[in-house]
PDB file of all heavy atoms in Angstrom:
ATOM      1  N   LYS A  11       5.586   1.473   1.309  1.00  0.00           N
ATOM      2  CA  LYS A  11       5.776   2.540   2.230  1.00  0.00           C
ATOM      3  C   LYS A  11       7.127   3.001   2.509  1.00  0.00           C
ATOM      4  O   LYS A  11       8.252   2.256   2.109  1.00  0.00           O
ATOM      5  CB  LYS A  11       5.090   2.077   3.590  1.00  0.00           C
ATOM      6  CG  LYS A  11       3.500   1.839   3.450  1.00  0.00           C
ATOM      7  CD  LYS A  11       2.892   1.568   4.751  1.00  0.00           C
ATOM      8  CE  LYS A  11       1.319   1.405   4.452  1.00  0.00           C
ATOM      9  NZ  LYS A  11       0.673   1.140   5.869  1.00  0.00           N
ATOM     10  N   ASP A  13       9.123   2.959   4.997  1.00  0.00           N
ATOM     11  CA  ASP A  13      10.111   2.174   5.721  1.00  0.00           C
ATOM     12  C   ASP A  13      10.856   1.179   4.706  1.00  0.00           C
ATOM     13  O   ASP A  13      12.048   0.773   4.989  1.00  0.00           O
ATOM     14  CB  ASP A  13       9.514   1.353   6.890  1.00  0.00           C
ATOM     15  CG  ASP A  13       8.425   0.317   6.398  1.00  0.00           C
ATOM     16  OD1 ASP A  13       7.354   0.869   5.995  1.00  0.00           O
ATOM     17  OD2 ASP A  13       8.731  -0.855   6.374  1.00  0.00           O
ATOM     18  N   PHE A  66       4.328   9.625   9.056  1.00  0.00           N
ATOM     19  CA  PHE A  66       5.166   8.387   8.733  1.00  0.00           C
ATOM     20  C   PHE A  66       5.156   8.541   7.133  1.00  0.00           C
ATOM     21  O   PHE A  66       6.158   8.181   6.602  1.00  0.00           O
ATOM     22  CB  PHE A  66       4.758   7.171   9.278  1.00  0.00           C
ATOM     23  CG  PHE A  66       5.287   5.905   8.548  1.00  0.00           C
ATOM     24  CD1 PHE A  66       6.539   5.604   8.414  1.00  0.00           C
ATOM     25  CD2 PHE A  66       4.283   5.093   7.982  1.00  0.00           C
ATOM     26  CE1 PHE A  66       7.060   4.454   7.818  1.00  0.00           C
ATOM     27  CE2 PHE A  66       4.780   3.967   7.245  1.00  0.00           C
ATOM     28  CZ  PHE A  66       6.100   3.686   7.230  1.00  0.00           C
ATOM     29  N   ALA A  92      -1.164  -9.518   8.184  1.00  0.00           N
ATOM     30  CA  ALA A  92      -1.961  -8.685   9.051  1.00  0.00           C
ATOM     31  C   ALA A  92      -1.280  -7.328   9.306  1.00  0.00           C
ATOM     32  O   ALA A  92      -0.032  -7.277   9.184  1.00  0.00           O
ATOM     33  CB  ALA A  92      -2.143  -9.368  10.368  1.00  0.00           C
ATOM     34  N   THR A  93      -2.112  -6.368   9.586  1.00  0.00           N
ATOM     35  CA  THR A  93      -1.653  -5.073   9.845  1.00  0.00           C
ATOM     36  C   THR A  93      -0.309  -5.040  10.719  1.00  0.00           C
ATOM     37  O   THR A  93       0.544  -4.261  10.497  1.00  0.00           O
ATOM     38  CB  THR A  93      -2.646  -4.092  10.450  1.00  0.00           C
ATOM     39  OG1 THR A  93      -3.883  -4.217   9.614  1.00  0.00           O
ATOM     40  CG2 THR A  93      -2.307  -2.553  10.477  1.00  0.00           C
ATOM     41  N   ASN A  94      -0.491  -5.708  11.884  1.00  0.00           N
ATOM     42  CA  ASN A  94       0.543  -5.825  12.964  1.00  0.00           C
ATOM     43  C   ASN A  94       1.459  -6.964  12.528  1.00  0.00           C
ATOM     44  O   ASN A  94       0.945  -8.097  12.625  1.00  0.00           O
ATOM     45  CB  ASN A  94      -0.134  -5.884  14.259  1.00  0.00           C
ATOM     46  CG  ASN A  94       0.957  -5.804  15.348  1.00  0.00           C
ATOM     47  OD1 ASN A  94       2.202  -5.964  15.133  1.00  0.00           O
ATOM     48  ND2 ASN A  94       0.628  -5.641  16.621  1.00  0.00           N
ATOM     49  N   PRO A  95       2.700  -6.673  12.238  1.00  0.00           N
ATOM     50  CA  PRO A  95       3.505  -7.813  11.824  1.00  0.00           C
ATOM     51  C   PRO A  95       3.701  -8.977  12.916  1.00  0.00           C
ATOM     52  O   PRO A  95       3.857 -10.082  12.548  1.00  0.00           O
ATOM     53  CB  PRO A  95       4.940  -7.172  11.606  1.00  0.00           C
ATOM     54  CG  PRO A  95       4.869  -5.810  12.278  1.00  0.00           C
ATOM     55  CD  PRO A  95       3.388  -5.372  12.225  1.00  0.00           C
ATOM     56  N   ARG A 104       4.527  -8.443   5.483  1.00  0.00           N
ATOM     57  CA  ARG A 104       4.640  -7.766   6.643  1.00  0.00           C
ATOM     58  C   ARG A 104       5.438  -8.604   7.701  1.00  0.00           C
ATOM     59  O   ARG A 104       6.224  -8.141   8.521  1.00  0.00           O
ATOM     60  CB  ARG A 104       3.289  -7.325   7.274  1.00  0.00           C
ATOM     61  CG  ARG A 104       2.845  -6.150   6.429  1.00  0.00           C
ATOM     62  CD  ARG A 104       1.350  -5.938   6.637  1.00  0.00           C
ATOM     63  NE  ARG A 104       0.936  -4.581   6.242  1.00  0.00           N
ATOM     64  CZ  ARG A 104      -0.286  -4.192   6.079  1.00  0.00           C
ATOM     65  NH1 ARG A 104      -1.266  -4.986   6.531  1.00  0.00           N
ATOM     66  NH2 ARG A 104      -0.685  -2.989   5.742  1.00  0.00           N
ATOM     67  N   ALA A 108       8.103  -5.934   7.717  1.00  0.00           N
ATOM     68  CA  ALA A 108       7.530  -4.748   8.434  1.00  0.00           C
ATOM     69  C   ALA A 108       8.342  -4.496   9.772  1.00  0.00           C
ATOM     70  O   ALA A 108       8.889  -5.447  10.372  1.00  0.00           O
ATOM     71  CB  ALA A 108       6.030  -4.971   8.775  1.00  0.00           C
ATOM     72  N   GLU A 109       8.453  -3.318   9.998  1.00  0.00           N
ATOM     73  CA  GLU A 109       9.226  -2.861  11.379  1.00  0.00           C
ATOM     74  C   GLU A 109       8.329  -2.809  12.531  1.00  0.00           C
ATOM     75  O   GLU A 109       8.765  -2.954  13.616  1.00  0.00           O
ATOM     76  CB  GLU A 109       9.975  -1.494  11.056  1.00  0.00           C
ATOM     77  CG  GLU A 109      10.933  -1.588   9.925  1.00  0.00           C
ATOM     78  CD  GLU A 109      11.783  -0.324   9.802  1.00  0.00           C
ATOM     79  OE1 GLU A 109      11.077   0.748   9.980  1.00  0.00           O
ATOM     80  OE2 GLU A 109      12.914  -0.293   9.563  1.00  0.00           O
ATOM     81  N   SER A 110       7.017  -2.418  12.260  1.00  0.00           N
ATOM     82  CA  SER A 110       6.129  -2.190  13.390  1.00  0.00           C
ATOM     83  C   SER A 110       4.749  -2.092  12.758  1.00  0.00           C
ATOM     84  O   SER A 110       4.447  -2.193  11.641  1.00  0.00           O
ATOM     85  CB  SER A 110       6.398  -0.819  14.015  1.00  0.00           C
ATOM     86  OG  SER A 110       6.191   0.277  13.113  1.00  0.00           O
ATOM     87  N   ILE A 111       3.722  -1.949  13.651  1.00  0.00           N
ATOM     88  CA  ILE A 111       2.253  -1.847  13.214  1.00  0.00           C
ATOM     89  C   ILE A 111       2.080  -0.642  12.321  1.00  0.00           C
ATOM     90  O   ILE A 111       1.244  -0.627  11.383  1.00  0.00           O
ATOM     91  CB  ILE A 111       1.364  -1.836  14.451  1.00  0.00           C
ATOM     92  CG1 ILE A 111      -0.182  -1.859  13.934  1.00  0.00           C
ATOM     93  CG2 ILE A 111       1.426  -0.479  15.249  1.00  0.00           C
ATOM     94  CD1 ILE A 111      -1.255  -2.174  14.992  1.00  0.00           C
ATOM     95  N   GLU A 112       2.869   0.345  12.527  1.00  0.00           N
ATOM     96  CA  GLU A 112       2.827   1.635  11.653  1.00  0.00           C
ATOM     97  C   GLU A 112       3.658   1.473  10.402  1.00  0.00           C
ATOM     98  O   GLU A 112       3.309   1.655   9.265  1.00  0.00           O
ATOM     99  CB  GLU A 112       3.236   2.843  12.438  1.00  0.00           C
ATOM    100  CG  GLU A 112       3.150   4.162  11.553  1.00  0.00           C
ATOM    101  CD  GLU A 112       3.583   5.328  12.335  1.00  0.00           C
ATOM    102  OE1 GLU A 112       4.822   5.556  12.614  1.00  0.00           O
ATOM    103  OE2 GLU A 112       2.734   6.053  12.950  1.00  0.00           O
ATOM    104  N   ALA A 113       5.014   1.162  10.679  1.00  0.00           N
ATOM    105  CA  ALA A 113       6.010   0.945   9.584  1.00  0.00           C
ATOM    106  C   ALA A 113       5.853  -0.453   8.994  1.00  0.00           C
ATOM    107  O   ALA A 113       6.797  -1.236   9.230  1.00  0.00           O
ATOM    108  CB  ALA A 113       7.308   1.401  10.181  1.00  0.00           C
ATOM    109  N   ASN A 114       4.750  -0.615   8.341  1.00  0.00           N
ATOM    110  CA  ASN A 114       4.350  -2.116   7.965  1.00  0.00           C
ATOM    111  C   ASN A 114       4.571  -2.321   6.478  1.00  0.00           C
ATOM    112  O   ASN A 114       3.876  -3.222   5.963  1.00  0.00           O
ATOM    113  CB  ASN A 114       3.054  -2.535   8.561  1.00  0.00           C
ATOM    114  CG  ASN A 114       1.895  -1.660   8.009  1.00  0.00           C
ATOM    115  OD1 ASN A 114       2.099  -0.791   7.241  1.00  0.00           O
ATOM    116  ND2 ASN A 114       0.722  -1.870   8.489  1.00  0.00           N
ATOM    117  N   SER A 115       5.498  -1.373   5.980  1.00  0.00           N
ATOM    118  CA  SER A 115       6.019  -1.809   4.539  1.00  0.00           C
ATOM    119  C   SER A 115       5.037  -1.767   3.284  1.00  0.00           C
ATOM    120  O   SER A 115       5.485  -1.232   2.246  1.00  0.00           O
ATOM    121  CB  SER A 115       6.614  -3.265   4.419  1.00  0.00           C
ATOM    122  OG  SER A 115       7.600  -3.262   5.431  1.00  0.00           O
ATOM    123  N   VAL A 116       3.770  -2.049   3.476  1.00  0.00           N
ATOM    124  CA  VAL A 116       2.831  -1.974   2.352  1.00  0.00           C
ATOM    125  C   VAL A 116       1.483  -1.452   2.778  1.00  0.00           C
ATOM    126  O   VAL A 116       1.016  -1.791   4.020  1.00  0.00           O
ATOM    127  CB  VAL A 116       2.688  -3.351   1.556  1.00  0.00           C
ATOM    128  CG1 VAL A 116       3.888  -3.686   0.796  1.00  0.00           C
ATOM    129  CG2 VAL A 116       2.512  -4.368   2.603  1.00  0.00           C
TER     130      VAL A 116
END
Side-chain angles (χ1 to χ4, degrees):
K11 294 185 178 183
D13 64 285
F66 165 62
T93 309
N94 186 345
R104 283 166 167 170
E109 295 181 323
S110 67
I111 190 172
E112 176 180 82
N114 59 3
S115 304
V116 282

